[in-house]
Amino acid sequence: NGEQPMISKSGRFEILFNGEIYNHQELSQKYDLHKNASDTRALLELIELLGVNNTISELNGMFALLIVDNFTATVFAARDRFGVKPLYYRYDAAERAVEFSSELKTFRTPSPSDFKIGVKAIHKLRCFPGNQTQFADVNKVEPGQVIKLDLRSWTMRSEYFYKPKMGVVKTSESKRRNALYSAVERQLIADVPVGILLSGGIDSALLAKIVMDLGVEPQCFCVGYDPKHSASELGLAQETADHLNLELTQITVTEEQIFDKFIDVLRIVEGPTATTSVFPMYFLAEGVSKTHKVVLSGQGVDEMDLGYNRYRLDQLYLRYGNKLSSFAEILVKLDGLLPARARQALDSIRQKDLLRYYSWSRAISSVNFSENDLLENSEFERIYAEFASGAWTDQGNNLGYLDMR
């Protein structure tokens, strides 16, 4: 009973839904909904009972939602708290037209005049903050946001049902542990076997151990290059699998394969990205899909627990800012002798505030990039104002917030 588009029993609401609601069974019990209903059906019943806004605030999951209220002639578009599922829209009040999609490429075949910014600007930005996309007339629903369109007046407004809290968030070890186990347990609910993407890191190893503690023995998958390649994680992943006594399927990718699928991967990504991991992930997903349709991965922990080098660099800057800047001025004279990432860090240290962080996080290129370039972008300007407001008391927590924005 999960076919879409789905209409509520009263005929008032219609829904298109991409994603998964992890707590839909809990909500079904809490509000005495239809037993054994799909998450889509449970959503519709809950909307009839609580209304759209109250329902969305109750959801735990990854989702892009499109809901039509036929009684009030209102369209609601919503995206999950962390923006896992994409949702784009093109809105023209004068033409009384609106389009929604999970992919940019479905809107039309673009011409050069459609692009909001040029190739040089894209090279500098390497990301589109807030609700922006590379198209002048296409926006994205932001994480934790609801867009409301009145089809009678053709006016659109938006609000956030969730926005991360800025500042220090103190949580006990036991509370974090319970939250982690509960989250994994919810996401193990599936009609098919659930696998795990196992890398050589702590995140996925911990995830595999939790799944086993919950009574499930998962099939594990890992992608890598030739074992001699410095970036290959196959060896570490195999050590983890052996330690946990789990079966691991290794998928090896060659340079030839990456170049052969290069354009295909870019079509899927649809925009600039600051990491090349999308290429091996493409082959990992392709290999895993032959036997599994649902997998868990350790993505997101580095943002939560400040595991990336860019967070460490910013902590060093806050502690030794003036000394680091002076040291960078000296080392930059050795530019030709330094590795690329060292040069990137040195360039970044000489920047200020938000520009410094975005630069060494590789969201933008620090070469010939100034604070004025940052502020010329309205969404960056809005985020920059939040950063400079002085309301943030914990730098690490705030940088994680910036990554979400």
Side-chain angles (χ1 to χ4, degrees):
N1 61 353
E3 292 184 5
Q4 299 184 44
M6 187 178 288
I7 304 175
S8 64
K9 291 180 180 179
S10 67
R12 175 173 180 175
F13 297 101
E14 298 182 51
I15 189 171
L16 281 172
F17 164 54
N18 176 33
E20 186 173 359
I21 306 302
Y22 301 130
N23 65 334
H24 82 274
Q25 293 183 351
E26 299 167 32
L27 293 173
S28 294
Q29 293 178 353
K30 179 180 178 179
Y31 292 103
D32 195 26
L33 306 180
H34 188 277
K35 292 182 179 180
N36 301 319
S38 67
D39 50 4
T40 310
R41 174 57 64 186
L43 262 176
L44 264 182
E45 290 188 20
L46 203 58
I47 289 169
E48 290 250 72
L49 185 65
L50 303 178
V52 175
N53 288 341
N54 290 334
T55 295
I56 291 173
S57 64
E58 290 257 19
L59 302 182
N60 183 325
M62 53 177 184
F63 55 83
L65 291 172
L66 195 62
I67 302 161
V68 178
D69 185 338
N70 290 313
F71 287 12
T72 63
T74 306
V75 178
F76 299 83
R79 194 173 170 202
D80 62 74
R81 289 167 175 78
F82 292 95
V84 178
K85 291 295 183 181
L87 184 56
Y88 304 98
Y89 64 95
R90 188 167 71 92
Y91 164 64
D92 189 331
E95 295 291 331
R96 301 176 74 85
V98 65
E99 299 173 74
F100 293 94
S101 178
S102 291
E103 295 185 344
L104 278 171
K105 64 176 70 69
T106 61
F107 287 98
R108 65 190 174 286
T109 302
S111 64
S113 61
D114 289 325
F115 289 98
K116 181 179 295 183
I117 58 178
V119 174
K120 289 183 179 180
I122 289 179
H123 175 69
K124 285 183 176 182
L125 291 174
R126 297 179 70 180
C127 70
F128 294 103
N131 70 347
Q132 294 183 347
T133 71
Q134 57 265 52
F135 297 126
D137 59 349
V138 179
N139 293 102
K140 59 192 175 192
V141 179
E142 296 183 54
Q145 187 181 50
V146 180
I147 301 288
K148 299 179 183 179
L149 173 63
D150 188 325
L151 295 177
R152 293 166 298 191
S153 62
W154 278 91
T155 55
M156 179 178 283
R157 59 190 178 92
S158 65
E159 61 185 49
Y160 292 95
F161 67 90
Y162 173 80
K163 208 169 186 180
K165 293 181 180 179
M166 298 183 288
V168 178
V169 179
K170 294 184 178 180
T171 308
S172 67
E173 184 178 337
S174 61
K175 191 172 182 179
R176 283 169 63 94
R177 183 183 187 278
N178 292 337
L180 190 55
Y181 270 75
S182 296
V184 174
E185 187 172 24
R186 277 195 298 265
Q187 295 188 38
L188 283 174
I189 299 173
D191 297 327
V192 294
V194 179
I196 289 183
L197 305 185
L198 189 67
S199 68
I202 297 172
D203 311 342
S204 59
L206 178 62
L207 182 62
K209 180 62 169 63
I210 292 173
V211 170
M212 294 180 68
D213 288 347
L214 293 171
V216 178
E217 189 171 314
Q219 172 68 44
C220 298
F221 302 87
C222 181
V223 66
Y225 310 104
D226 184 285
K228 296 180 181 179
H229 195 288
S230 60
S232 183
E233 296 182 328
L234 293 177
L236 289 172
Q238 189 62 62
E239 286 184 32
T240 303
D242 292 342
H243 181 76
L244 296 174
N245 197 28
L246 291 172
E247 185 178 344
L248 176 67
T249 298
Q250 296 188 1
I251 297 171
T252 303
V253 181
T254 65
E255 288 184 14
E256 290 75 16
Q257 287 177 297
I258 290 177
F259 282 117
D260 184 53
K261 293 291 184 178
F262 193 85
I263 299 301
D264 292 337
V265 174
L266 292 185
R267 286 197 182 100
I268 294 171
V269 174
E270 293 193 321
T273 176
T275 176
T276 58
S277 62
V278 292
F279 295 100
M281 284 298 293
Y282 171 89
F283 292 98
L284 179 60
E286 185 180 56
V288 171
S289 66
K290 296 175 182 177
T291 58
H292 286 67
K293 300 303 178 185
V294 179
V295 292
L296 304 182
S297 75
Q299 297 288 338
V301 179
D302 284 299
E303 285 81 2
M304 185 173 68
D305 286 334
L306 310 181
Y308 291 126
N309 285 332
R310 61 178 179 264
Y311 299 126
R312 300 189 186 103
L313 279 169
D314 214 66
Q315 292 297 311
L316 283 172
Y317 182 87
L318 290 175
R319 185 173 297 181
Y320 307 109
N322 293 333
K323 293 180 180 178
L324 276 177
S325 296
S326 300
F327 189 52
E329 293 291 346
I330 297 171
L331 286 182
V332 80
K333 296 176 182 179
L334 304 174
D335 185 67
L337 303 176
L338 297 173
R341 298 196 71 171
R343 292 198 303 272
Q344 175 79 23
L346 288 174
D347 283 334
S348 304
I349 286 171
R350 295 184 294 164
Q351 309 290 349
K352 55 186 284 190
D353 298 334
L354 184 59
L355 184 63
R356 180 186 68 249
Y357 175 66
Y358 271 117
S359 177
W360 66 36
S361 69
R362 297 188 298 174
I364 59 175
S365 169
S366 61
V367 180
N368 298 322
F369 199 94
S370 68
E371 188 173 14
N372 288 334
D373 289 317
L374 187 69
L375 297 180
E376 283 177 2
N377 182 293
S378 59
E379 286 299 306
F380 268 126
E381 185 176 11
R382 179 163 62 90
I383 297 168
Y384 187 88
E386 294 176 4
F387 189 90
S389 67
W392 296 2
T393 55
D394 179 76
Q395 190 74 359
N397 180 278
N398 300 333
L399 294 180
Y401 172 84
L402 286 176
D403 279 349
M404 281 190 59
R405 305 294 289 124

